[in-house]
Amino acid sequence: MKALVLSGGAGTRLRPITHTSAKQLVPVANKPVLFYGLESLAAAGVTQVGMIVGDTAAEIEEAVGDGSKFGLDVTYIPQERPLGLAHAVLIARDFLGDDDFVMYLGDNFIVGGISGLVGEFRETRPDAQILLTHVPNPRAFGVAELDADGQVVGLEEKPQQPKSDLALVGVYLFTPAIHDAVRAIKPSWRGELEITHAIQYLIDRRADVRSTVIKGYWKDTGNVVDMLEVNRTVLEGMEPRIDGEVDDASQIVGRVVVEAGARVTNSRIVGPAVIGAGTVVGDSYVGPFTSIAENCRITESELEFSIVLRDSSIDGVARIESSLIGRHVEVTPAAGTPSAHRLVLGDHSKVQIRS
């Protein structure tokens, strides 16, 4: 069995972070979200991986390499434009051959992995197996309609009038039957080859399409709110570890990881939280559900329920929360104009200011 991991796409909902970084490499608890998916595949015994890459191919290839550090053998498959999930299957035909495969969206996160699901598929081998979960906003997802017996009878992509609240999770399992389907369908109104249309093609021809409603935790990390929520979930399961330096004037409370080379002075860290290698936290408060990446500097500031990417600094800021701060960012208080805010913001930035 092989895997097809989708790591292209523009990541528009995470701009401006994704103007300069692949969305799949935005870290959760200081590890790129893509890595969690690759580790899940390796744990399920799937070692041959085709990686669909787009404009951020160089960055993805640098981070993942040949896959050996995950116990995988990775082949990169370029996609000139993100033309839909079914298009990814279409262009990966030579890599996939006649093998069964699991298609995994690289920005999705499933707690507990997929070993059980892959094992079940290997035993029963339906033509296709989809994962579903109940969501409060089904119009934002591909949606499945089930009959009274739980059989999949219809799929729609981002419907205006959803027939259920069961959204497709970004993991699909296929036999080679899917290849005829992706060749048969036409682009949708979005100009994409939709995987929902390909699976519907199989359903209409009475192929064996099964579904599993997952009860565990799943998130599409395509926006800031979901990134912060996934970060919280991962941090809650983290084991505390102090490999860096913490002075006697500091207080560490709860599940906190201080990586080797990090230094905490005269500060209070309340977990779950992680302080990355080479980061300095001084005269500050870092609250729960916060991940600070490597080589950051936090001084005389308060930070909670946030993600800070590498090489950034926060100096003299009274309170930051529910924030995603990119790489090489400087956050400081305004000088000389106490009633004014001075901002330098990139395209598609979002800022909330209380006057």
Side-chain angles (χ1 to χ4, degrees):
M1 190 172 187
K2 294 178 180 176
L4 189 63
V5 177
L6 276 62
S7 298
T12 55
R13 292 178 294 159
L14 275 174
R15 286 177 179 168
I17 299 295
T18 49
H19 279 309
T20 55
S21 178
K23 64 178 179 178
Q24 297 85 3
L25 297 180
V26 176
V28 170
N30 284 5
K31 181 165 67 176
V33 67
L34 173 62
F35 288 11
Y36 292 96
L38 296 178
E39 290 168 355
S40 292
L41 290 169
V46 181
T47 58
Q48 290 185 275
V49 175
M51 186 89 67
I52 301 291
V53 291
D55 292 342
T56 58
E59 188 179 11
I60 296 289
E61 291 186 34
E62 181 181 0
V64 176
D66 63 3
S68 57
K69 64 184 176 183
F70 303 98
L72 303 172
D73 179 9
V74 174
T75 299
Y76 292 96
I77 304 169
Q79 184 182 37
E80 291 185 4
R81 288 187 296 148
L83 296 175
L85 305 188
H87 181 259
V89 176
L90 194 66
I91 65 174
R93 183 68 173 93
D94 289 343
F95 167 78
L96 295 169
D98 291 325
D99 292 308
D100 297 347
F101 67 98
V102 52
M103 185 167 72
Y104 199 116
L105 274 59
D107 59 353
N108 275 227
F109 185 89
I110 300 176
V111 170
I114 60 171
S115 296
L117 296 162
V118 170
E120 177 187 343
F121 181 81
R122 280 174 163 149
E123 289 181 8
T124 59
R125 290 197 75 237
D127 294 303
Q129 185 165 348
I130 58 176
L131 275 61
L132 305 174
T133 190
H134 294 280
V135 295
N137 56 333
R139 286 188 294 179
F141 302 94
V143 174
E145 180 185 3
L146 308 183
D147 64 17
D149 298 323
Q151 186 68 32
V152 184
V153 295
L155 298 173
E156 293 181 279
E157 187 65 34
K158 297 181 174 63
Q160 289 301 308
Q161 300 295 328
K163 295 178 180 178
S164 80
D165 66 346
L166 288 170
L168 278 77
V169 173
V171 178
Y172 308 79
L173 299 112
F174 297 116
T175 66
I178 194 66
H179 296 302
D180 287 339
V182 299
R183 285 196 299 267
I185 62 174
K186 303 297 182 184
S188 68
W189 62 270
R190 301 194 303 167
E192 298 186 3
L193 291 176
E194 311 285 1
I195 198 65
T196 47
H197 291 178
I199 301 171
Q200 186 67 52
Y201 177 93
L202 295 176
I203 294 170
D204 293 342
R205 282 149 186 81
R206 301 187 180 279
D208 187 4
V209 177
R210 303 182 189 180
S211 66
T212 300
V213 179
I214 64 171
K215 298 179 180 178
Y217 184 88
W218 164 79
K219 278 289 184 183
D220 169 2
T221 61
N223 61 59
V224 173
V225 172
D226 286 339
M227 284 294 303
L228 293 173
E229 178 63 19
V230 171
N231 189 64
R232 180 191 67 79
T233 300
V234 175
L235 289 177
E236 284 181 331
M238 185 179 59
E239 292 297 324
R241 175 168 46 85
I242 307 296
D243 293 333
E245 300 178 22
V246 178
D247 72 358
D248 293 339
S250 297
Q251 187 177 15
I252 304 295
V253 180
R255 293 187 298 280
V256 174
V257 171
V258 180
E259 298 284 3
R263 184 157 49 92
V264 178
T265 60
N266 194 36
S267 297
R268 177 178 169 88
I269 315 292
V270 179
V274 57
I275 311 299
T279 286
V280 175
V281 179
D283 303 303
S284 295
Y285 166 76
V286 176
F289 314 122
T290 300
S291 296
I292 303 174
E294 64 271 20
N295 301 321
C296 293
R297 188 173 187 88
I298 314 296
T299 54
E300 298 181 351
S301 299
E302 297 182 9
L303 183 65
E304 185 168 305
F305 191 52
S306 295
I307 298 173
V308 182
L309 275 58
R310 62 179 174 84
D311 300 305
S312 291
S313 65
I314 301 172
D315 184 11
V317 180
R319 185 75 173 181
I320 295 174
E321 62 181 31
S322 304
S323 299
L324 174 59
I325 297 172
R327 298 176 297 181
H328 300 281
V329 170
E330 296 181 6
V331 183
T332 59
T337 51
S339 62
H341 302 285
R342 183 174 183 270
L343 306 173
V344 179
L345 303 174
D347 295 346
H348 304 282
S349 294
K350 292 183 180 180
V351 176
Q352 293 181 331
I353 296 175
R354 184 173 182 177
S355 301

